[in-house]
Amino acid sequence: MEKYSKKMDRRKKLVEKSIRISLQTIAYTFFFSLLCFPDYIGFRFGIAWNLQRIIIVIALIWILRNNIRANQLLHTIGNHKGNWLILLYLSVCFLTMVVRKDLGSFMRPMMDYVMTYYLTLYFLKYEIKMDSFFRFFILCVWICGIFGILEAIFKFNVFSIFPTIEGLGGSGIERDAAYRICVNGRHPLGYGLYLLLAFPLVCFNQKQRTMDILNNPILEILILVNVFCTGSRSTLGLALFEIVLVLIFSRYEQIKKAMVVLLPLILAMCLSLILFSNSELVHKLYVKLVVMFDGAFNTNYAGKWLNYNSLNLEGSSNYRYYLPKIFTLPDLNPFLGLGIGHNFHTTIEGIEIQSIDNFYVSQYIKYAYPGLFTLSLFLFSKIKDLLISLFTSRDDIFKVFFIGLLVYFINLWFVDDLETLKLIFMIFGVLTHRRESHI
């Protein structure tokens, strides 16, 4: 009998170990689907099913079939202090779904945002250590960065070989006879948002827990080249702003070391730009930088200095000027949004508005003021927690995420989130776990 009992104990341990390893694999696949795999690949069955949503369903089934794990997940969700904010936001989404008869208006925030947040908390608490998560994050950035270079060279997105969900975009586009890479984003601007979130993290030294602009120079350069290849003015400008912020928030030792290396490089680059000013590559770089400046300050130095005029760029800047006026449109109900399935278009002062390149305006159209307010309330609560940790902890990870989030939300005034908001919910899950594990 004792022999049989020991044999059963060994078998039980083997089963538990295999479950743990299997769930850990699911956890890594979940983070891979967020950080590396496009969300436009999949099929439609009621709603759009991509890898991330499929993995969420598999993970929930795998967790809930085991009583211990089910209790762990329920404990993780039940003890979360911000649940009332999440419920408030989801109630607005649910009401929009019912009134507008639009299933996606509730299922998208529930699956892509809320479940991403809770599962990130759960996986980091029970399955993956923080250091392992950061290493995996960096690995995914490497993969996307290399794919970005290949796409720029061959003008072919490797993810385009997979079946795509109709109407969700994907693959690169051309503007002014130049190819703009997309990699894992629905649009080059979406991939740009991803790169802006990734760059500060690449500058984080995990061993020393400090921010260092020279922490991973090859990958940092790879990201900046990818930023350039997206062809996005806002992304390029904010990437340069991020570099400045990383230097400002770094400690004195890192700043001193960076200046010793960067100043000679900057001088050498300036000299090279002068010497090779007639080359096509340098001319393109000049155009990018000057056009970026023109877009930010409403000037036209690209046309005056470089004889460069783009109706697309001019129209893009003028178009964005009219978007905030949507808040004042009498045709929109300020208390009930149109939902995500409605193809919104209108005319403002003779300008036809079809693409909503402003996240805050887009949220207003979809969920009206209640949705915009409740979502903002949750985001602000997490940013408040981040700021508290930033000033009370010597761990620079909070500075890293602060820079990434600051730049991200600035950029959302110029672009829609392009389905990158789930990355923000993942990051908030990481920060919440980090903060709670140090209380």
Side-chain angles (χ1 to χ4, degrees):
M1 188 72 178
E2 188 178 347
K3 216 176 195 181
Y4 176 77
S5 179
K6 286 181 180 179
K7 187 177 179 181
M8 288 300 293
D9 285 342
R10 282 197 301 270
R11 186 172 293 178
K12 187 178 179 182
K13 286 178 181 178
L14 281 171
V15 170
E16 288 176 351
K17 188 176 180 182
S18 66
I19 290 174
R20 184 182 66 81
I21 292 172
S22 298
L23 189 56
Q24 191 177 79
T25 302
I26 291 172
Y28 277 116
T29 308
F30 168 72
F31 287 122
F32 174 80
S33 71
L34 284 167
L35 295 169
C36 212
F37 206 74
D39 73 339
Y40 56 78
I41 293 172
F43 58 92
R44 284 192 182 276
F45 185 74
I47 61 173
W49 288 97
N50 52 36
L51 180 62
Q52 180 205 349
R53 292 179 178 179
I54 293 169
I55 292 299
I56 285 174
V57 173
I58 293 172
L60 289 175
I61 293 172
W62 200 260
I63 291 167
L64 296 175
R65 66 195 285 268
N66 180 287
N67 289 335
I68 295 174
R69 296 197 180 282
N71 288 331
Q72 288 172 340
L73 178 62
L74 292 174
H75 183 267
T76 300
I77 297 173
N79 284 0
H80 184 257
K81 294 178 182 178
N83 281 338
W84 70 276
L85 292 171
I86 292 174
L87 289 172
L88 203 60
Y89 173 59
L90 285 180
S91 65
V92 175
C93 298
F94 184 79
L95 178 64
T96 305
M97 176 192 73
V98 173
V99 176
R100 299 302 184 189
K101 297 178 181 178
D102 183 3
L103 183 62
S105 293
F106 177 76
M107 292 304 295
R108 178 186 291 178
M110 181 64 187
M111 293 281 285
D112 296 353
Y113 308 156
V114 176
M115 289 315 304
T116 292
Y117 178 69
Y118 284 137
L119 283 177
T120 298
L121 280 172
Y122 176 83
F123 286 142
L124 291 179
K125 189 173 183 179
Y126 296 107
E127 294 299 325
I128 300 176
K129 293 180 179 179
M130 283 287 283
D131 288 345
S132 300
F133 169 78
F134 286 132
R135 285 194 294 271
F136 187 74
F137 195 136
I138 298 300
L139 174 63
C140 289
V141 176
W142 269 110
I143 293 171
C144 289
I146 292 169
F147 281 173
I149 298 298
L150 293 174
E151 184 177 348
I153 295 170
F154 299 106
K155 297 184 180 180
F156 174 77
N157 188 323
V158 68
F159 292 113
S160 64
I161 63 175
F162 295 97
T164 58
I165 303 170
E166 187 179 354
L168 295 190
S171 194
I173 61 174
E174 293 216 15
R175 184 173 71 183
D176 294 342
Y179 184 86
R180 304 173 64 190
I181 65 171
C182 200
V183 189
N184 64 346
R186 289 192 181 183
H187 187 277
L189 294 172
Y191 182 50
L193 287 168
Y194 171 84
L195 294 171
L196 290 174
L197 286 171
F199 184 81
L201 189 66
V202 174
C203 299
F204 180 64
N205 188 314
Q206 292 185 51
K207 291 182 179 178
Q208 299 179 9
R209 312 303 299 175
T210 58
M211 192 156 51
D212 183 359
I213 193 71
L214 301 177
N215 178 59
N216 199 335
I218 297 175
L219 183 53
E220 289 164 26
I221 292 170
L222 184 64
I223 289 175
L224 293 176
V225 172
N226 273 251
V227 165
F228 185 81
C229 292
T230 62
S232 167
R233 294 169 292 164
S234 60
T235 305
L236 180 58
L238 288 170
L240 297 177
F241 181 49
E242 269 191 336
I243 294 172
V244 174
L245 288 177
V246 168
L247 287 170
I248 290 173
F249 278 88
S250 295
R251 299 178 188 180
Y252 177 73
E253 296 79 9
Q254 276 73 38
I255 295 174
K256 187 169 64 173
K257 184 176 69 173
M259 288 300 100
V260 170
V261 176
L262 292 178
L263 284 177
L265 282 175
I266 292 171
L267 290 172
M269 283 178 62
C270 291
L271 183 61
S272 298
L273 290 175
I274 294 170
L275 292 174
F276 301 100
S277 57
N278 293 326
S279 68
E280 185 181 353
L281 181 62
V282 172
H283 181 73
K284 285 183 178 179
L285 181 59
Y286 279 145
V287 168
K288 291 278 186 186
L289 294 174
V290 178
V291 164
M292 176 192 72
F293 184 89
D294 287 342
F297 298 101
N298 197 28
T299 56
N300 187 30
Y301 291 114
K304 293 176 182 177
W305 296 348
L306 303 172
N307 196 29
Y308 179 85
N309 291 289
S310 171
L311 293 176
N312 286 335
L313 293 177
E314 185 180 350
S316 175
S317 298
N318 293 335
Y319 185 84
R320 285 184 170 93
Y321 168 78
Y322 291 97
L323 290 178
K325 295 178 182 289
I326 289 174
F327 285 115
T328 63
L329 288 178
D331 296 339
L332 289 175
N333 187 333
F335 303 105
L336 179 66
L338 299 176
I340 68 170
H342 184 87
N343 292 320
F344 177 82
H345 63 274
T346 188
T347 302
I348 300 176
E349 298 179 18
I351 301 297
E352 190 175 2
I353 305 294
Q354 289 183 324
S355 175
I356 309 301
D357 298 329
N358 182 311
F359 168 75
Y360 308 101
V361 174
S362 175
Q363 284 298 298
Y364 172 71
I365 294 169
K366 293 171 184 173
Y367 298 106
Y369 280 123
L372 181 60
F373 176 75
T374 52
L375 176 60
S376 299
L377 204 60
F378 174 78
L379 298 176
F380 284 141
S381 72
K382 290 302 170 187
I383 292 171
K384 180 203 73 176
D385 292 341
L386 171 58
L387 289 172
I388 292 171
S389 299
L390 192 150
F391 287 110
T392 58
S393 172
R394 284 189 57 80
D395 190 344
D396 281 4
I397 191 62
F398 299 109
K399 295 180 182 178
V400 166
F401 282 123
F402 172 75
I403 292 171
L405 291 171
L406 173 66
V407 169
Y408 178 86
F409 285 113
I410 290 174
N411 205 17
L412 288 189
W413 185 256
F414 306 101
V415 300
D416 199 355
D417 75 296
L418 298 166
E419 300 311 310
T420 60
L421 193 63
K422 56 194 172 187
L423 295 175
I424 300 302
F425 277 80
M426 181 199 74
I427 287 173
F428 282 144
V430 173
L431 288 170
T432 300
H433 172 73
R434 185 73 187 174
R435 192 166 179 268
E436 290 177 351
S437 62
H438 281 76
I439 293 176

